[in-house]
Amino acid sequence: NAGVMQNPRHLVRRRGQEARLRCSPMKGHSHVYWYRQLPEEGLKFMVYLQKENIIDESGMPKERFSAEFPKEGPSILRIQQVVRGDSAAYFCASSLGEGSNQPQHFGDGTRLSIL
Amino acid sequence: KNEVEQSPQNLTAQEGEFITINCSYSVGISALHWLQQHPGGGIVSLFMLSSGKKKHGRLIATINIQEKHSSLHITASHPRDSAVYICAVRIYNTDKLIFGTGTRLQVFP
């Protein structure tokens, strides 16, 4: 599958636990974006990363949320000490590079449920 | 006021009807995306455009940069077109996307 791969598709956590969401970009893509879709709301930008660099994290909550895109391996969105309000669908997208002529390709998302 | 507004929010149609979904935005953009999301499903990119018009099968997307407006048209609609259609704009000089709240389309046989 040459598309953007996200796992797991569904993740259930209890309040206070940690959630790790993974995103493998399309082959050859070095730019990764994370978006959050709260129930009954639109998608919101969270963070934009290139390999080993965070380019724009203006949409990330100030606490408990972090993201990385290491030199090797997938991008990880990490949520510490989860709360009920973190329940949402988290989507990852990747692109070949920066610039308006580079489309973003989306994964199928991870549905996070907090008990 | 949202920076990206879509209309209508909900749309029902009979199979075969011509459908139009509108998107207006209030910021400077370098590109506009039309996305499709099925219930509980992933997001599929339908179009990315920065000017003019694009066509793919029964789908047509147009954009008027001066009026800051885009439309998505579906010709000969089919029940399998039932989904949420989302307009997203790439802010000028950034790689950040801002999304509309989506238009929920239901096509009945």
Side-chain angles (χ1 to χ4, degrees), chain B residues 5-27:
Chain B
E5 297 273 359
Q6 284 186 238
S7 63
Q9 281 190 301
N10 295 283
L11 184 55
T12 58
Q14 287 295 126
E15 184 173 356
E17 284 186 9
F18 180 84
I19 286 160
T20 295
I21 299 171
N22 295 299
C23 175
S24 297
Y25 53 92
S26 58
V27 292

PDB file of all heavy atoms in Angstrom, chain B residues 5-27:
ATOM      1  N   GLU B   5     -16.068  29.152   4.843  1.00  0.00           N
ATOM      2  CA  GLU B   5     -17.496  28.887   5.026  1.00  0.00           C
ATOM      3  C   GLU B   5     -17.992  28.025   3.885  1.00  0.00           C
ATOM      4  O   GLU B   5     -17.715  28.314   2.721  1.00  0.00           O
ATOM      5  CB  GLU B   5     -18.280  30.202   5.031  1.00  0.00           C
ATOM      6  CG  GLU B   5     -17.929  31.139   6.169  1.00  0.00           C
ATOM      7  CD  GLU B   5     -18.728  30.860   7.424  1.00  0.00           C
ATOM      8  OE1 GLU B   5     -19.578  29.950   7.405  1.00  0.00           O
ATOM      9  OE2 GLU B   5     -18.516  31.556   8.428  1.00  0.00           O
ATOM     10  N   GLN B   6     -18.742  26.994   4.242  1.00  0.00           N
ATOM     11  CA  GLN B   6     -19.336  26.138   3.218  1.00  0.00           C
ATOM     12  C   GLN B   6     -20.853  26.223   3.286  1.00  0.00           C
ATOM     13  O   GLN B   6     -21.431  26.403   4.351  1.00  0.00           O
ATOM     14  CB  GLN B   6     -18.944  24.664   3.445  1.00  0.00           C
ATOM     15  CG  GLN B   6     -17.540  24.339   3.041  1.00  0.00           C
ATOM     16  CD  GLN B   6     -17.256  22.854   3.148  1.00  0.00           C
ATOM     17  OE1 GLN B   6     -16.353  22.453   3.866  1.00  0.00           O
ATOM     18  NE2 GLN B   6     -18.007  22.031   2.439  1.00  0.00           N
ATOM     19  N   SER B   7     -21.462  26.033   2.132  1.00  0.00           N
ATOM     20  CA  SER B   7     -22.918  25.951   2.098  1.00  0.00           C
ATOM     21  C   SER B   7     -23.345  25.026   0.968  1.00  0.00           C
ATOM     22  O   SER B   7     -22.678  24.957  -0.079  1.00  0.00           O
ATOM     23  CB  SER B   7     -23.531  27.349   1.896  1.00  0.00           C
ATOM     24  OG  SER B   7     -23.141  27.872   0.637  1.00  0.00           O
ATOM     25  N   PRO B   8     -24.454  24.286   1.158  1.00  0.00           N
ATOM     26  CA  PRO B   8     -25.183  24.202   2.425  1.00  0.00           C
ATOM     27  C   PRO B   8     -24.466  23.298   3.417  1.00  0.00           C
ATOM     28  O   PRO B   8     -23.495  22.641   3.073  1.00  0.00           O
ATOM     29  CB  PRO B   8     -26.515  23.594   1.982  1.00  0.00           C
ATOM     30  CG  PRO B   8     -26.146  22.707   0.831  1.00  0.00           C
ATOM     31  CD  PRO B   8     -25.031  23.431   0.104  1.00  0.00           C
ATOM     32  N   GLN B   9     -24.957  23.256   4.648  1.00  0.00           N
ATOM     33  CA  GLN B   9     -24.388  22.338   5.641  1.00  0.00           C
ATOM     34  C   GLN B   9     -24.843  20.917   5.372  1.00  0.00           C
ATOM     35  O   GLN B   9     -24.087  19.970   5.565  1.00  0.00           O
ATOM     36  CB  GLN B   9     -24.831  22.739   7.046  1.00  0.00           C
ATOM     37  CG  GLN B   9     -24.049  23.901   7.633  1.00  0.00           C
ATOM     38  CD  GLN B   9     -24.363  24.089   9.094  1.00  0.00           C
ATOM     39  OE1 GLN B   9     -25.520  24.314   9.443  1.00  0.00           O
ATOM     40  NE2 GLN B   9     -23.370  24.002   9.943  1.00  0.00           N
ATOM     41  N   ASN B  10     -26.105  20.791   4.974  1.00  0.00           N
ATOM     42  CA  ASN B  10     -26.677  19.484   4.661  1.00  0.00           C
ATOM     43  C   ASN B  10     -27.390  19.572   3.327  1.00  0.00           C
ATOM     44  O   ASN B  10     -28.002  20.602   3.006  1.00  0.00           O
ATOM     45  CB  ASN B  10     -27.679  19.051   5.746  1.00  0.00           C
ATOM     46  CG  ASN B  10     -26.997  18.822   7.081  1.00  0.00           C
ATOM     47  OD1 ASN B  10     -26.352  17.815   7.290  1.00  0.00           O
ATOM     48  ND2 ASN B  10     -27.140  19.774   7.987  1.00  0.00           N
ATOM     49  N   LEU B  11     -27.335  18.491   2.593  1.00  0.00           N
ATOM     50  CA  LEU B  11     -27.923  18.480   1.254  1.00  0.00           C
ATOM     51  C   LEU B  11     -28.448  17.079   0.962  1.00  0.00           C
ATOM     52  O   LEU B  11     -27.727  16.097   1.140  1.00  0.00           O
ATOM     53  CB  LEU B  11     -26.846  18.863   0.238  1.00  0.00           C
ATOM     54  CG  LEU B  11     -27.209  19.025  -1.230  1.00  0.00           C
ATOM     55  CD1 LEU B  11     -28.336  20.018  -1.409  1.00  0.00           C
ATOM     56  CD2 LEU B  11     -25.975  19.471  -2.019  1.00  0.00           C
ATOM     57  N   THR B  12     -29.709  17.007   0.555  1.00  0.00           N
ATOM     58  CA  THR B  12     -30.245  15.728   0.105  1.00  0.00           C
ATOM     59  C   THR B  12     -30.632  15.856  -1.357  1.00  0.00           C
ATOM     60  O   THR B  12     -31.045  16.933  -1.820  1.00  0.00           O
ATOM     61  CB  THR B  12     -31.469  15.298   0.929  1.00  0.00           C
ATOM     62  OG1 THR B  12     -32.472  16.316   0.822  1.00  0.00           O
ATOM     63  CG2 THR B  12     -31.123  15.081   2.373  1.00  0.00           C
ATOM     64  N   ALA B  13     -30.502  14.776  -2.079  1.00  0.00           N
ATOM     65  CA  ALA B  13     -30.767  14.798  -3.513  1.00  0.00           C
ATOM     66  C   ALA B  13     -31.280  13.441  -3.951  1.00  0.00           C
ATOM     67  O   ALA B  13     -31.038  12.417  -3.286  1.00  0.00           O
ATOM     68  CB  ALA B  13     -29.494  15.153  -4.283  1.00  0.00           C
ATOM     69  N   GLN B  14     -32.000  13.440  -5.061  1.00  0.00           N
ATOM     70  CA  GLN B  14     -32.407  12.200  -5.703  1.00  0.00           C
ATOM     71  C   GLN B  14     -31.318  11.787  -6.687  1.00  0.00           C
ATOM     72  O   GLN B  14     -30.659  12.635  -7.301  1.00  0.00           O
ATOM     73  CB  GLN B  14     -33.720  12.397  -6.454  1.00  0.00           C
ATOM     74  CG  GLN B  14     -34.945  12.536  -5.577  1.00  0.00           C
ATOM     75  CD  GLN B  14     -35.246  11.273  -4.792  1.00  0.00           C
ATOM     76  OE1 GLN B  14     -35.376  11.300  -3.584  1.00  0.00           O
ATOM     77  NE2 GLN B  14     -35.348  10.148  -5.497  1.00  0.00           N
ATOM     78  N   GLU B  15     -31.188  10.501  -6.826  1.00  0.00           N
ATOM     79  CA  GLU B  15     -30.205   9.987  -7.771  1.00  0.00           C
ATOM     80  C   GLU B  15     -30.392  10.632  -9.130  1.00  0.00           C
ATOM     81  O   GLU B  15     -31.513  10.768  -9.620  1.00  0.00           O
ATOM     82  CB  GLU B  15     -30.368   8.472  -7.886  1.00  0.00           C
ATOM     83  CG  GLU B  15     -29.328   7.793  -8.771  1.00  0.00           C
ATOM     84  CD  GLU B  15     -29.425   6.274  -8.712  1.00  0.00           C
ATOM     85  OE1 GLU B  15     -30.249   5.758  -7.927  1.00  0.00           O
ATOM     86  OE2 GLU B  15     -28.666   5.617  -9.443  1.00  0.00           O
ATOM     87  N   GLY B  16     -29.297  11.060  -9.716  1.00  0.00           N
ATOM     88  CA  GLY B  16     -29.333  11.668 -11.034  1.00  0.00           C
ATOM     89  C   GLY B  16     -29.302  13.186 -11.010  1.00  0.00           C
ATOM     90  O   GLY B  16     -29.020  13.812 -12.041  1.00  0.00           O
ATOM     91  N   GLU B  17     -29.572  13.784  -9.868  1.00  0.00           N
ATOM     92  CA  GLU B  17     -29.599  15.244  -9.783  1.00  0.00           C
ATOM     93  C   GLU B  17     -28.197  15.831  -9.888  1.00  0.00           C
ATOM     94  O   GLU B  17     -27.207  15.204  -9.535  1.00  0.00           O
ATOM     95  CB  GLU B  17     -30.242  15.691  -8.470  1.00  0.00           C
ATOM     96  CG  GLU B  17     -31.751  15.561  -8.432  1.00  0.00           C
ATOM     97  CD  GLU B  17     -32.352  16.145  -7.161  1.00  0.00           C
ATOM     98  OE1 GLU B  17     -31.605  16.794  -6.390  1.00  0.00           O
ATOM     99  OE2 GLU B  17     -33.543  15.949  -6.944  1.00  0.00           O
ATOM    100  N   PHE B  18     -28.163  17.087 -10.328  1.00  0.00           N
ATOM    101  CA  PHE B  18     -26.923  17.866 -10.385  1.00  0.00           C
ATOM    102  C   PHE B  18     -26.762  18.581  -9.034  1.00  0.00           C
ATOM    103  O   PHE B  18     -27.700  19.203  -8.551  1.00  0.00           O
ATOM    104  CB  PHE B  18     -27.027  18.885 -11.529  1.00  0.00           C
ATOM    105  CG  PHE B  18     -25.811  19.746 -11.692  1.00  0.00           C
ATOM    106  CD1 PHE B  18     -24.720  19.288 -12.419  1.00  0.00           C
ATOM    107  CD2 PHE B  18     -25.754  21.021 -11.153  1.00  0.00           C
ATOM    108  CE1 PHE B  18     -23.587  20.088 -12.594  1.00  0.00           C
ATOM    109  CE2 PHE B  18     -24.627  21.822 -11.321  1.00  0.00           C
ATOM    110  CZ  PHE B  18     -23.555  21.354 -12.046  1.00  0.00           C
ATOM    111  N   ILE B  19     -25.594  18.463  -8.463  1.00  0.00           N
ATOM    112  CA  ILE B  19     -25.361  18.974  -7.107  1.00  0.00           C
ATOM    113  C   ILE B  19     -24.266  20.031  -7.128  1.00  0.00           C
ATOM    114  O   ILE B  19     -23.260  19.880  -7.837  1.00  0.00           O
ATOM    115  CB  ILE B  19     -24.958  17.813  -6.188  1.00  0.00           C
ATOM    116  CG1 ILE B  19     -26.175  16.957  -5.880  1.00  0.00           C
ATOM    117  CG2 ILE B  19     -24.320  18.316  -4.885  1.00  0.00           C
ATOM    118  CD1 ILE B  19     -25.857  15.592  -5.411  1.00  0.00           C
ATOM    119  N   THR B  20     -24.472  21.087  -6.352  1.00  0.00           N
ATOM    120  CA  THR B  20     -23.451  22.119  -6.194  1.00  0.00           C
ATOM    121  C   THR B  20     -23.209  22.384  -4.718  1.00  0.00           C
ATOM    122  O   THR B  20     -24.156  22.581  -3.950  1.00  0.00           O
ATOM    123  CB  THR B  20     -23.877  23.427  -6.878  1.00  0.00           C
ATOM    124  OG1 THR B  20     -23.970  23.203  -8.288  1.00  0.00           O
ATOM    125  CG2 THR B  20     -22.848  24.518  -6.623  1.00  0.00           C
ATOM    126  N   ILE B  21     -21.968  22.395  -4.326  1.00  0.00           N
ATOM    127  CA  ILE B  21     -21.556  22.746  -2.962  1.00  0.00           C
ATOM    128  C   ILE B  21     -20.628  23.949  -3.076  1.00  0.00           C
ATOM    129  O   ILE B  21     -19.739  23.975  -3.938  1.00  0.00           O
ATOM    130  CB  ILE B  21     -20.826  21.575  -2.287  1.00  0.00           C
ATOM    131  CG1 ILE B  21     -21.751  20.356  -2.200  1.00  0.00           C
ATOM    132  CG2 ILE B  21     -20.328  21.970  -0.904  1.00  0.00           C
ATOM    133  CD1 ILE B  21     -21.063  19.081  -1.757  1.00  0.00           C
ATOM    134  N   ASN B  22     -20.855  24.933  -2.217  1.00  0.00           N
ATOM    135  CA  ASN B  22     -20.108  26.179  -2.315  1.00  0.00           C
ATOM    136  C   ASN B  22     -19.154  26.365  -1.150  1.00  0.00           C
ATOM    137  O   ASN B  22     -19.397  25.901  -0.034  1.00  0.00           O
ATOM    138  CB  ASN B  22     -21.081  27.360  -2.347  1.00  0.00           C
ATOM    139  CG  ASN B  22     -21.930  27.335  -3.598  1.00  0.00           C
ATOM    140  OD1 ASN B  22     -21.421  27.405  -4.710  1.00  0.00           O
ATOM    141  ND2 ASN B  22     -23.236  27.189  -3.422  1.00  0.00           N
ATOM    142  N   CYS B  23     -18.076  27.095  -1.430  1.00  0.00           N
ATOM    143  CA  CYS B  23     -17.056  27.388  -0.421  1.00  0.00           C
ATOM    144  C   CYS B  23     -16.583  28.816  -0.606  1.00  0.00           C
ATOM    145  O   CYS B  23     -16.178  29.188  -1.707  1.00  0.00           O
ATOM    146  CB  CYS B  23     -15.894  26.406  -0.566  1.00  0.00           C
ATOM    147  SG  CYS B  23     -14.495  26.732   0.534  1.00  0.00           S
ATOM    148  N   SER B  24     -16.649  29.603   0.454  1.00  0.00           N
ATOM    149  CA  SER B  24     -16.113  30.967   0.428  1.00  0.00           C
ATOM    150  C   SER B  24     -15.057  31.097   1.508  1.00  0.00           C
ATOM    151  O   SER B  24     -15.183  30.498   2.582  1.00  0.00           O
ATOM    152  CB  SER B  24     -17.240  31.979   0.685  1.00  0.00           C
ATOM    153  OG  SER B  24     -18.194  31.924  -0.335  1.00  0.00           O
ATOM    154  N   TYR B  25     -14.039  31.888   1.247  1.00  0.00           N
ATOM    155  CA  TYR B  25     -12.972  32.045   2.218  1.00  0.00           C
ATOM    156  C   TYR B  25     -12.588  33.510   2.311  1.00  0.00           C
ATOM    157  O   TYR B  25     -12.845  34.308   1.405  1.00  0.00           O
ATOM    158  CB  TYR B  25     -11.761  31.176   1.846  1.00  0.00           C
ATOM    159  CG  TYR B  25     -11.259  31.367   0.435  1.00  0.00           C
ATOM    160  CD1 TYR B  25     -10.268  32.279   0.146  1.00  0.00           C
ATOM    161  CD2 TYR B  25     -11.808  30.614  -0.612  1.00  0.00           C
ATOM    162  CE1 TYR B  25      -9.822  32.455  -1.151  1.00  0.00           C
ATOM    163  CE2 TYR B  25     -11.365  30.796  -1.918  1.00  0.00           C
ATOM    164  CZ  TYR B  25     -10.376  31.717  -2.179  1.00  0.00           C
ATOM    165  OH  TYR B  25      -9.933  31.902  -3.459  1.00  0.00           O
ATOM    166  N   SER B  26     -11.973  33.874   3.415  1.00  0.00           N
ATOM    167  CA  SER B  26     -11.710  35.293   3.676  1.00  0.00           C
ATOM    168  C   SER B  26     -10.230  35.596   3.842  1.00  0.00           C
ATOM    169  O   SER B  26      -9.864  36.713   4.207  1.00  0.00           O
ATOM    170  CB  SER B  26     -12.468  35.736   4.937  1.00  0.00           C
ATOM    171  OG  SER B  26     -12.087  34.938   6.045  1.00  0.00           O
ATOM    172  N   VAL B  27      -9.383  34.606   3.562  1.00  0.00           N
ATOM    173  CA  VAL B  27      -7.942  34.800   3.749  1.00  0.00           C
ATOM    174  C   VAL B  27      -7.227  34.638   2.413  1.00  0.00           C
ATOM    175  O   VAL B  27      -7.800  34.103   1.450  1.00  0.00           O
ATOM    176  CB  VAL B  27      -7.383  33.778   4.763  1.00  0.00           C
ATOM    177  CG1 VAL B  27      -7.921  34.051   6.151  1.00  0.00           C
ATOM    178  CG2 VAL B  27      -7.706  32.349   4.347  1.00  0.00           C
TER     179      VAL B  27
END
